[in-house]
Amino acid sequence: MEEKKFDLNSIIGFVLIFGILIWIMYQNQPSDKEIAAEKAKKELVAKQEAQAKTDKTKTAVLPVAATTPGDTVQLAQLQKTLGGFAYSATLPSAKEGFTTIENEKMILKIANKGGYIVEATLKEFKKFEKNSGQLVELIKDNNSDLNIQLQTTDNRTLNSKDLYFEPTLTKNGTDQILTMRLKAGANEFLEYKYVLKANDYLVGFDVRSQGLNKVLNSSKPLDLVWDLKSYRNEKSVSIEKRYAQLEYEYGDEKYSSVSLGVGKEDTPEKVSFIAFKQHFFTAILSTDKPFEKSKLQSDDLVKDEKIDTTYIKQFKATVPLAFTNGEVDYKMSWYFGPSDYKILKSYDKNFEKIIPLGWGIFGWINKWIFIPLFGFLSSYIAYGIAIIIFTIIIKLAMSPITYKSFLSQAKMKVLRPEITELGEKFKKDPMKKQQETMKLYNKAGVNPMAGCIPALIQLPFMYASFQFFPSAFELRQKSFLWADDLSSFDAVVKLPFHIPLYGDHISLFPILAAIAIFFYMKMTSGDQQMAAPQQEGMPDMAKMMKIMIYVSPLMMLIFFNSYGAGLSLYNFISNLITIGIMFVIKNYIVDTDKIHAQIQENKLKEPKKQSKFQQRLQEVMEQQEAVKKQNKK
C-alpha cells in the first residue's frame, strides 16, 4: 500500500474550488429587479384569486408557466395589452412544449410557442441518397415559421410566433384535431386548428379569433407571414434550383409564379393558394376565402453550387386576414407532399397547376397524351422499360408524318436538276428564277412546304417531352441499368474537376443520345441538301448542315449531362427509332423512279389551281419585280 503524504497542491486546489463555488452562489443571487418582478407576480395572483372568490366563481388566475424570466414578462405584457383578461384554471398552462400528429403519409410537430408547424416529415420518401435512410423533411431546424402580427387598439404590435399557445388534441373517428389557442381569457383567444385525416397529405388549418374585437384594431387586416427556406432533397443542385419556384393562383383561377432570381417579388390580388415548390416536393397554403392582396417574395440561396448545397430557395408570403364583424375567421389547408400531378389533381383545388407541363398545345399534349399513356405503362412494367415502350408508341404514331416529310424531300430531290437548270438560265434575274421555279412546282404537283409542315407538327411533341420527363415524379429514385435514379443524371464517372457548362461528372445516356442524333443527322443531311436548292444571296445550306451535324450532338452532350437520365433515355431511343423508320421508308417504301415518272406525268396535265398562299406569293414576287424595274428607270 502506498504511504499517504501531505500534498500541498491538493490543499490549494480544494481552496480554489471552494472559492469558486462561493463566487458562483453569490453571482446567482436574484437581482432586486427579479425579486420585485416575482413579488409583483405573487401580488397579481393573490389579487385575481380574491376577485374570483368575490364573484363566487370557480375560475382563478392561471399561473404563467414560462420557462424564462423573459417569457414571464412577455406573457404578462400580453395579458395587460389585451385588457387584463383572467386565464381559466380549467385549461393547461401556456408553456414550452410540442405536439406531434401523424398518419400514414407524414409526421407533423407543432410547437406551443407560435402554434405553428416546426417539423414536417414525409414518411414514404427519402432524400437523394436513397440508401442513407434519411426521410424527406420539408420543415425542420427553424427553416420555416408562421406569424400573425396583432395590432391592438392602443397601437401595440405583438407577434404570435413569440407567444405561447395552449394545445388540445382530440380525435373524431380517424381524424386528429389539434386546437392551439393564444388566450387573453377563458373565452377570448386566437385559435389555430389543425385537422389531419388518415392517409392524406392535406391538413386542415383554420384561423379564427373570439372575443378579441374590443382589443384588436380591426380597421385593417391582420398580416399573416409564412416563410420557408427550402432544403435540398435531390442530387442535382442546379436542376433543383431551376424547378424550385413560388407558384400561386389568383383572380378567376389565373395562375402565375414569381420570377426566378434574387430578390423577386409579386403582389397579386385574390390569391387562393400559394405553393413553395421544390423540384419534387411542395408546401402549399390554400384558402377558401381568397386573400385580398398578397406580397410574395422569392430569393435564390445558391450562389455557388459547390458550396451552397443545404438550402435552395428562400420563400416568403405576406397575406391579409380580413376582419368580419370584428373577428377573423379563415378556413385554410396545408399540403405537404410530392409534386405528383395525379396526387395534386385529386384534391380538386387546381394544385396540379404547379407542375410545369408547358403552355398551350405543349401542356395539352402532356395532360391528355403523355401523362395518361406513361401512367398506364408504368403501372404494369418497370419505369425504364416503360420509357422505351412509351417512346416506341409515340414514334410509331408520328411515323405517317415522318413518311410525308421524307416523301416531300424525295420529290424535291427529283426536281433538283430542273431547278438547277432554271438557276443557270435566270442567273442574272433572281426574281424571274423564283417565278419560274414556282411554276415548275405547280406544274409538277409538288409543294415545297410539304416537307416543313410535318416537321413542324412533330416539334410540339418534342418540346412536350422536355417538359414532361423532368417533372415526372414517378421517375424519382427509380433505377434502370446503370442509372440509379431516372429523375437525375446517370453519372458513370466522377471528375476531379469542374468543366464549365458540363459539370464534374460524365453521364452515359446523354452520350448515347448524342451518338444517335449524330448518325440520324448524317443519314438525313445528304437528302436535305439535295432536296433544297441553293438560293442566290442565301447562306450555303450544305455548309450549314455539315456544321449542324457536329453542333447538335455536342449541344446534346453538354446540356443534358446534368438532366435526368429518363429524358436522355427517351431521346436516345427516339433517335434510334427515327433512324430505323427513315431506313425502312427510304429503302422499302419510297420508290424514286416512280416519283420521277409521276412528276413527268403531272407535267403533261393541266397545272393545278394555285392555292391562296401560292397566289399571294406570286403577287408579292411580281410586285417586287415591278418595283425593281421602276428603280432601274
Side-chain angles (χ1 to χ4, degrees):
M1 180 179 292
E2 183 179 358
E3 182 181 355
K4 293 183 179 180
K5 296 182 180 179
F6 177 77
D7 188 350
L8 180 61
N9 291 332
S10 297
I11 297 298
I12 294 172
F14 283 121
V15 171
L16 289 175
I17 291 173
F18 181 75
I20 291 171
L21 290 174
I22 295 297
W23 181 81
I24 291 174
M25 291 174 63
Y26 175 78
Q27 290 295 321
N28 284 317
Q29 285 184 344
S31 65
D32 293 340
K33 185 177 180 180
E34 291 173 331
I35 292 172
E38 185 63 24
K39 183 178 179 181
K41 174 185 171 182
K42 290 179 180 179
E43 289 176 355
L44 176 62
V45 171
K47 182 179 179 180
Q48 291 176 330
E49 286 177 346
Q51 182 65 41
K53 290 178 181 179
T54 302
D55 295 339
K56 295 181 180 181
T57 65
K58 295 182 180 181
T59 59
V61 175
L62 181 67
V64 181
T67 57
T68 66
D71 295 332
T72 301
V73 173
Q74 187 181 61
L75 290 178
Q77 181 187 9
L78 173 64
Q79 183 184 23
K80 179 180 178 182
T81 303
L82 298 183
F85 295 117
Y87 287 80
S88 172
T90 61
L91 293 174
S93 301
K95 59 185 178 181
E96 192 76 64
F98 303 90
T99 304
T100 300
I101 56 177
E102 67 176 290
N103 61 11
E104 295 82 355
K105 301 294 185 183
M106 58 183 168
I107 305 170
L108 299 178
K109 185 177 180 181
I110 297 94
N112 290 353
K113 186 174 183 180
Y116 59 86
I117 298 169
V118 293
E119 289 184 12
T121 305
L122 302 181
K123 300 167 71 172
E124 298 177 309
F125 308 105
K126 296 178 181 179
K127 295 189 70 174
F128 58 93
E129 296 174 351
K130 64 179 181 178
N131 296 322
S132 68
Q134 186 176 357
L135 296 175
V136 169
E137 297 169 293
L138 299 183
I139 301 176
K140 69 168 185 175
D141 298 338
N142 300 315
N143 75 314
S144 176
D145 63 41
L146 184 77
N147 180 53
I148 294 180
Q149 292 182 340
L150 304 171
Q151 304 292 334
T152 67
T153 53
D154 59 351
N155 295 322
R156 297 195 184 195
T157 300
L158 296 173
N159 293 307
S160 65
K161 69 178 183 179
D162 299 326
L163 304 173
Y164 288 85
F165 287 65
E166 296 178 352
T168 302
L169 181 61
T170 59
K171 285 190 175 182
N172 182 11
T174 58
D175 295 354
Q176 300 173 65
I177 304 172
L178 176 62
T179 302
M180 307 290 293
R181 287 183 175 177
L182 175 62
K183 293 166 60 41
N187 295 304
E188 296 86 19
F189 51 79
L190 174 69
E191 179 184 89
Y192 297 164
K193 184 168 75 173
Y194 300 89
V195 180
L196 180 61
K197 296 182 179 181
N199 201 36
D200 202 349
Y201 294 108
L202 201 66
V203 185
F205 179 61
D206 297 347
V207 176
R208 73 182 184 98
S209 65
Q210 179 175 303
L212 302 183
N213 54 325
K214 294 181 180 179
V215 293
L216 290 181
N217 182 359
S218 59
S219 63
K220 61 179 182 178
L222 299 177
D223 282 338
L224 182 148
V225 181
W226 173 38
D227 64 70
L228 180 143
K229 285 197 298 185
S230 66
Y231 280 106
R232 173 194 177 193
N233 283 308
E234 310 306 326
K235 185 161 59 174
S236 174
V237 176
S238 60
I239 297 300
E240 187 160 11
K241 176 184 174 182
R242 185 176 304 167
Y243 285 94
Q245 197 156 355
L246 197 160
E247 318 272 352
Y248 58 91
E249 184 183 63
Y250 69 104
D252 187 17
E253 296 190 354
K254 297 177 183 177
Y255 182 75
S256 188
S257 57
V258 178
S259 301
L260 298 175
V262 178
K264 300 300 181 178
E265 180 180 309
D266 281 356
T267 54
E269 298 181 354
K270 302 290 184 181
V271 172
S272 52
F273 77 72
I274 300 164
F276 292 169
K277 180 182 174 295
Q278 301 176 24
H279 187 183
F280 285 126
F281 299 97
T282 189
I284 304 175
L285 175 63
S286 66
T287 175
D288 293 345
K289 180 167 60 177
F291 305 124
E292 283 299 321
K293 188 170 183 178
S294 305
K295 182 179 179 181
L296 308 178
Q297 299 165 280
S298 176
D299 200 0
D300 288 344
L301 299 180
V302 179
K303 313 301 180 187
D304 187 335
E305 294 180 5
K306 293 178 287 185
I307 300 174
D308 304 324
T309 59
T310 301
Y311 300 106
I312 302 296
K313 292 288 180 71
Q314 172 74 65
F315 299 123
K316 185 176 182 180
T318 303
V319 299
L321 302 182
F323 285 91
T324 303
N325 298 324
E327 301 289 357
V328 168
D329 189 2
Y330 275 76
K331 295 187 180 301
M332 299 181 282
S333 59
W334 297 103
Y335 174 87
F336 298 105
S339 300
D340 185 306
Y341 182 86
K342 289 180 289 186
I343 293 175
L344 293 170
K345 188 175 177 59
S346 68
Y347 289 105
D348 197 26
K349 292 177 177 286
N350 294 329
F351 289 168
E352 71 276 7
K353 289 182 178 180
I354 72 170
I355 307 299
L357 298 179
W359 54 272
I361 189 173
F362 312 119
W364 186 89
I365 291 171
N366 276 321
K367 288 178 185 178
W368 302 108
I369 300 177
F370 283 10
I371 290 176
L373 177 59
F374 188 75
F376 172 77
L377 294 172
S378 60
S379 62
Y380 292 99
I381 53 180
Y383 285 91
I385 303 299
I387 291 175
I388 294 174
I389 296 177
F390 170 86
T391 311
I392 292 172
I393 292 173
I394 295 297
K395 296 306 293 185
L396 288 178
M398 301 294 290
S399 59
I401 298 175
T402 305
Y403 167 74
K404 288 186 177 181
S405 178
F406 188 83
L407 182 62
S408 176
Q409 290 179 18
K411 289 180 178 180
M412 294 291 292
K413 182 179 177 181
V414 170
L415 287 177
R416 173 77 183 215
E418 295 181 56
I419 295 172
T420 302
E421 184 179 340
L422 289 174
E424 291 295 327
K425 184 176 180 181
F426 301 102
K427 188 175 182 180
K428 296 182 179 181
D429 192 346
M431 188 62 66
K432 184 67 174 177
K433 184 182 73 172
Q434 288 286 355
Q435 292 173 344
E436 293 300 319
T437 301
M438 292 299 297
K439 289 180 182 179
L440 175 63
Y441 288 151
N442 188 43
K443 191 175 181 180
V446 174
N447 184 355
M449 299 298 294
C452 301
I453 294 173
L456 290 175
I457 294 175
Q458 295 184 68
L459 281 177
F461 286 84
M462 182 181 69
Y463 181 80
S465 71
F466 281 92
Q467 297 292 110
F468 171 72
F469 283 101
S471 302
F473 181 84
E474 303 95 316
L475 299 180
R476 185 178 186 269
Q477 296 185 354
K478 299 301 189 297
S479 60
F480 180 66
L481 299 178
W482 58 85
D484 59 358
D485 186 349
L486 285 169
S487 72
S488 190
F489 53 82
D490 56 313
V492 291
V493 176
K494 179 70 175 179
L495 300 174
F497 49 84
H498 184 274
I499 302 175
L501 299 178
Y502 187 72
D504 58 359
H505 62 274
I506 298 176
S507 298
L508 185 52
F509 275 127
I511 294 176
L512 296 178
I515 294 172
I517 198 172
F518 172 80
F519 282 106
Y520 165 71
M521 295 193 72
K522 193 79 172 175
M523 177 181 179
T524 59
S525 61
D527 293 328
Q528 291 173 353
Q529 290 172 31
M530 291 186 69
Q534 176 64 32
Q535 301 294 331
E536 190 174 328
M538 297 293 289
D540 190 331
M541 295 300 297
K543 289 183 179 179
M544 289 184 64
M545 289 303 300
K546 287 180 180 179
I547 293 173
M548 290 303 297
I549 289 174
Y550 298 97
V551 171
S552 295
L554 182 61
M555 293 175 63
M556 171 77 71
L557 197 64
I558 292 174
F559 293 110
F560 279 70
N561 192 57
S562 293
Y563 264 89
L567 179 60
S568 298
L569 173 61
Y570 170 81
N571 279 282
F572 170 55
I573 300 299
S574 177
N575 285 312
L576 282 184
I577 295 171
T578 303
I579 290 172
I581 291 174
M582 293 291 289
F583 179 82
V584 171
I585 291 174
K586 183 177 181 180
N587 292 280
Y588 298 100
I589 297 178
V590 173
D591 190 328
T592 305
D593 294 334
K594 287 184 178 180
I595 291 174
H596 184 270
Q598 184 63 52
I599 288 176
Q600 298 307 317
E601 184 179 337
N602 290 341
K603 289 181 180 180
L604 300 176
K605 299 178 181 177
E606 287 291 328
K608 291 183 179 180
K609 185 178 179 180
Q610 289 183 326
S611 65
K612 291 184 178 180
F613 172 77
Q614 290 173 322
Q615 291 175 2
R616 181 58 182 162
L617 185 61
Q618 183 73 20
E619 290 174 2
V620 170
M621 289 190 295
E622 290 175 355
Q623 290 173 2
Q624 290 178 342
E625 182 68 16
V627 170
K628 185 177 178 181
K629 290 180 179 179
Q630 185 67 30
N631 291 336
K632 286 183 178 180
K633 293 180 180 179

